[in-house]
C-alpha cells in the first residue's frame, strides 16, 4: 500500500511530461550555444520542471470532479493522493521554482515569475473553462518556456522558431484533448471549444490547424535557416504524424481518435525540437 501511494504521488506530477520539459530546455540551451554553462542550463531545466510539476499537480487538484469521469484512475480519484496534499505539493513546486528563478537575470525573472507562473495558475483555475482561450493560454505558456531560456542567455532570436513550433503543436494538442475530455467537461458545465461549437466545427478547425502548421514548419528549411537534418526529422517526427492525425480525425472524429492524436502530438513536439537542434548544429 505504501509503495503504491508513493508511486501515485509521483504519477500526479505527470513525470514523463516533466522530464520532456526539462530535456526540451537542455536542447534549447544547446541550440543557443553548445557550450553554455552547465550550471545555468541545469538551473533553467529544473525551474521549468518544477513549474510544470506545480501546474500538473494543481490541475489534478482543481479537476478532481472531471477526472472522476474522464480519468478515474488518476491518483486523487482512486484515493491514493489527498486533495490537500496535492494542493501543498503544487504550492511547494511553484515556490521552489520561483526561488531558483530569483537567481537569474531580470528578463528571465519577469518571464518566469510574473508571466509564465501566473498564466499557469490562471489557466487551471479559470481560463480552461473558456473556449479557445484556455487552449491558447497553455500553448503560449509552453512556447514561452523557450523565450524564458533565451532570456536567461540574453539570446532571444534562436528561440523564436522553437517557440512557434511548440506553440502550434501544443495548441493543436490542447484542442484535441478537449475532444477526448468532452464527456466529463459536459457534466461539469464547462464551455470548451468542442462543447461550445460542436464536434463537426472542431474537427474542421483541427484539420485546418494541422494543414497550416505543416506548411509553417517547412518554411525554415525553404528559406535556408536550417539544413537537411531539420527536414528529415521534421518529416519523420512531425509532418507524417500530422498526416496520420488528419486521417484519424477524418475517419472517426471522436474520443478514441482524439486520445491517440494527443499522445502522438506529445512525441511530435519533442521530435520538432530534435529537428531544430540537428538542423542548426550538424
Amino acid at each position: 500500500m505504501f509503495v503504491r501511494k508513493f508511486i501515485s504521488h509521483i504519477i500526479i506530477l505527470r513525470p514523463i511530461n516533466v522530464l520532456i520539459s526539462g530535456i526540451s530546455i537542455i536542447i534549447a540551451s544547446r541550440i543557443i550555444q553548445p557550450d553554455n554553462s552547465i550550471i545555468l542550463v541545469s538551473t533553467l531545466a529544473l525551474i521549468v520542471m518544477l513549474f510544470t510539476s506545480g501546474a500538473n499537480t494543481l490541475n489534478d487538484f482543481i479537476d478532481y470532479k472531471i477526472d472522476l469521469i474522464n480519468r478515474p484512475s488518476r491518483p486523487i480519484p482512486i484515493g491514493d493522493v489527498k486533495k490537500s496534499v496535492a494542493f501543498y505539493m503544487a504550492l511547494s513546486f511553484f515556490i521552489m521554482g520561483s526561488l531558483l528563478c530569483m537567481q537569474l537575470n531580470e528578463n528571465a525573472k519577469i518571464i518566469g515569475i510574473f508571466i509564465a507562473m501566473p498564466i499557469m495558475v490562471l489557466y487551471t483555475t479559470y481560463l480552461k473553462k473558456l473556449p479557445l482561450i484556455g487552449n491558447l493560454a497553455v500553448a503560449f505558456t509552453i512556447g514561452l518556456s523557450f523565450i524564458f531560456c533565451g532570456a536567461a542567455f540574453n539570446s532571444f532570436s534562436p528561440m523564436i522558431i522553437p517557440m512557434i513550433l511548440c506553440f502550434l503543436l501544443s495548441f493543436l494538442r490542447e484542442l484535441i484533448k478537449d475532444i477526448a475530455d468532452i464527456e466529463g467537461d459536459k457534466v461539469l458545465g464547462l464551455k470548451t471549444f468542442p462543447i461550445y461549437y460542436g464536434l463537426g466545427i472542431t474537427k474542421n478547425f483541427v484539420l485546418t490547424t494541422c494543414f497550416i502548421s505543416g506548411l509553417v514548419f517547412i518554411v525554415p528549411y525553404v528559406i535556408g535557416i536550417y539544413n537537411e537534418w531539420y527536414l528529415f526529422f521534421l518529416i519523420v517526427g512531425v509532418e507524417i504524424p500530422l498526416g496520420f492525425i488528419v486521417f484519424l480525425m477524418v475517419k472517426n472524429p471522436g474520443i478514441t481518435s482524439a486520445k491517440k492524436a494527443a499522445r502522438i502530438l506529445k512525441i511530435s513536439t519533442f521530435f520538432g525540437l530534435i529537428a531544430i537542434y540537428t538542423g542548426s548544429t550538424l
Side-chain angles (χ1 to χ4, degrees):
M1 180 68 73
F2 172 79
V3 173
R4 193 189 78 179
K5 288 194 173 184
F6 175 78
I7 293 174
S8 291
H9 282 76
I10 301 298
I11 290 174
I12 199 172
L13 309 182
R14 292 179 173 84
I16 294 177
N17 289 4
V18 172
L19 183 62
I20 289 175
S21 70
I23 294 173
S24 297
I25 293 301
I26 293 172
I27 294 173
S29 300
R30 290 188 64 80
I31 290 171
I32 294 173
Q33 189 158 339
D35 59 351
N36 272 323
S37 164
I38 294 177
I39 293 177
L40 182 52
V41 171
S42 301
T43 301
L44 292 175
L46 183 56
I47 290 170
V48 171
M49 290 171 72
L50 285 167
F51 280 171
T52 303
S53 297
N56 289 341
T57 309
L58 182 62
N59 184 74
D60 273 31
F61 169 76
I62 297 291
D63 281 359
Y64 164 65
K65 291 183 179 179
I66 295 175
D67 286 343
L68 284 173
I69 300 169
N70 290 335
R71 300 176 184 86
S73 61
R74 290 294 298 167
I76 296 179
I78 64 174
D80 282 354
V81 177
K82 293 182 179 178
K83 284 185 65 180
S84 59
V85 172
F87 174 79
Y88 287 114
M89 284 175 65
L91 183 62
S92 298
F93 289 131
F94 282 132
I95 290 174
M96 288 188 289
S98 298
L99 290 175
L100 280 176
C101 214
M102 292 298 294
Q103 313 305 312
L104 305 178
N105 63 35
E106 290 303 313
N107 287 332
K109 285 180 191 175
I110 292 171
I111 293 171
I113 300 174
F114 299 106
I115 300 178
M117 187 172 62
I119 292 176
M120 290 177 185
V121 175
L122 192 59
Y123 163 76
T124 304
T125 55
Y126 178 68
L127 295 179
K128 71 181 304 177
K129 302 174 184 177
L130 305 177
L132 217 57
I133 302 298
N135 309 116
L136 289 170
V138 173
F140 175 73
T141 304
I142 293 174
L144 192 64
S145 64
F146 296 95
I147 299 302
F148 170 70
C149 183
F153 291 107
N154 293 306
S155 182
F156 288 99
S157 57
M159 293 291 96
I160 292 175
I161 294 176
M163 177 196 70
I164 293 172
L165 183 145
C166 287
F167 172 83
L168 288 173
L169 290 179
S170 300
F171 173 71
L172 187 58
R173 183 169 181 265
E174 290 301 313
L175 191 61
I176 289 173
K177 281 173 61 182
D178 280 349
I179 297 175
D181 292 344
I182 192 168
E183 295 302 329
D185 292 347
K186 276 182 179 178
V187 170
L188 292 179
L190 302 186
K191 296 295 182 181
T192 60
F193 193 89
I195 292 173
Y196 198 81
Y197 292 101
L199 284 178
I201 291 177
T202 305
K203 181 195 76 172
N204 292 333
F205 190 29
V206 167
L207 296 179
T208 302
T209 305
C210 284
F211 179 73
I212 292 173
S213 299
L215 291 179
V216 169
F217 298 154
I218 293 290
V219 171
Y221 171 75
V222 173
I223 64 178
I225 295 177
Y226 300 135
N227 61 31
E228 288 79 9
W229 284 107
Y230 171 79
L231 183 64
F232 172 75
F233 282 106
L234 182 75
I235 291 173
V236 172
V238 181
E239 300 288 354
I240 291 177
L242 282 177
F244 183 64
I245 288 169
V246 169
F247 170 76
L248 283 176
M249 299 307 294
V250 169
K251 184 180 179 182
N252 179 27
I255 293 174
T256 302
S257 294
K259 287 181 178 179
K260 290 179 182 177
R263 287 194 294 267
I264 290 169
L265 284 168
K266 185 186 296 186
I267 299 171
S268 287
T269 303
F270 187 71
F271 264 100
L273 292 175
I274 296 296
I276 293 172
Y277 174 70
T278 56
S280 60
T281 59
L282 296 183

